[in-house]
Amino acid sequence: QVQLVETGGGLVQAGGSLRLSCAASGRTFSDNVMGWFRQAPGKEREFVAAISRSGGSTHYADSVKGRFTISRDNAKNTVYLQMNSLKPEDTAVYGCAARKSLLVTLSTTPGGYDYWGQGTAVTVSS
């Protein structure tokens, strides 16, 4: 079982930056592919970014490529999402997710993940 807690959301002006953190419980964090998703009001949950177990491979949605960076610190059981050049359309609740241990694919679908945090709200004003 993996428990996830996100922090770092808030209100920021367009063009600004935020860094989200997701702290994971459990002794085997390095066994889990991690992902970030977001859900805007009235919209479906969408993939943002994913990172491999070692952190050596990443994958991004086209809408955030070049602006967002996913990273992880396995010693701290934490995955991060650095968000730069934020736009109003980035406004959403952002949640981190973990795949079951030892699965290696950087899944881009919510169904590919087994554990979820409660989410943290990001609001970008124009």
Side-chain angles (χ1 to χ4, degrees):
Q1 190 77 5
V2 177
Q3 292 184 325
L4 305 171
V5 179
E6 303 96 333
T7 56
L11 174 64
V12 64
Q13 289 188 332
S17 298
L18 280 176
R19 188 176 82 154
L20 306 182
S21 299
C22 172
S25 66
R27 296 180 292 113
T28 58
F29 176 72
S30 60
D31 286 347
N32 300 100
V33 167
M34 300 295 297
W36 284 97
F37 288 77
R38 66 186 182 185
Q39 187 166 19
K43 295 188 177 181
E44 292 187 352
R45 183 180 290 176
E46 67 170 347
F47 169 76
V48 175
I51 189 166
S52 64
R53 294 179 293 164
S54 68
S57 295
T58 57
H59 182 62
Y60 296 93
D62 287 343
S63 58
V64 306
K65 201 172 294 183
R67 300 188 298 122
F68 290 12
T69 302
I70 188 172
S71 61
R72 67 190 295 163
D73 185 337
N74 286 343
K76 295 183 178 179
N77 281 16
T78 302
V79 62
Y80 304 97
L81 186 67
Q82 177 67 44
M83 305 186 295
N84 299 330
S85 302
L86 282 160
K87 305 174 181 179
E89 51 264 44
D90 294 318
T91 295
V93 174
Y94 285 72
C96 69
R99 302 204 73 192
K100 283 182 179 177
S101 295
L102 305 182
L103 294 178
V104 298
T105 305
L106 303 189
S107 178
T108 61
T109 60
Y113 292 80
D114 304 283
Y115 308 103
W116 293 85
Q118 83 289 348
T120 186
V122 172
T123 302
V124 184
S125 63
S126 56

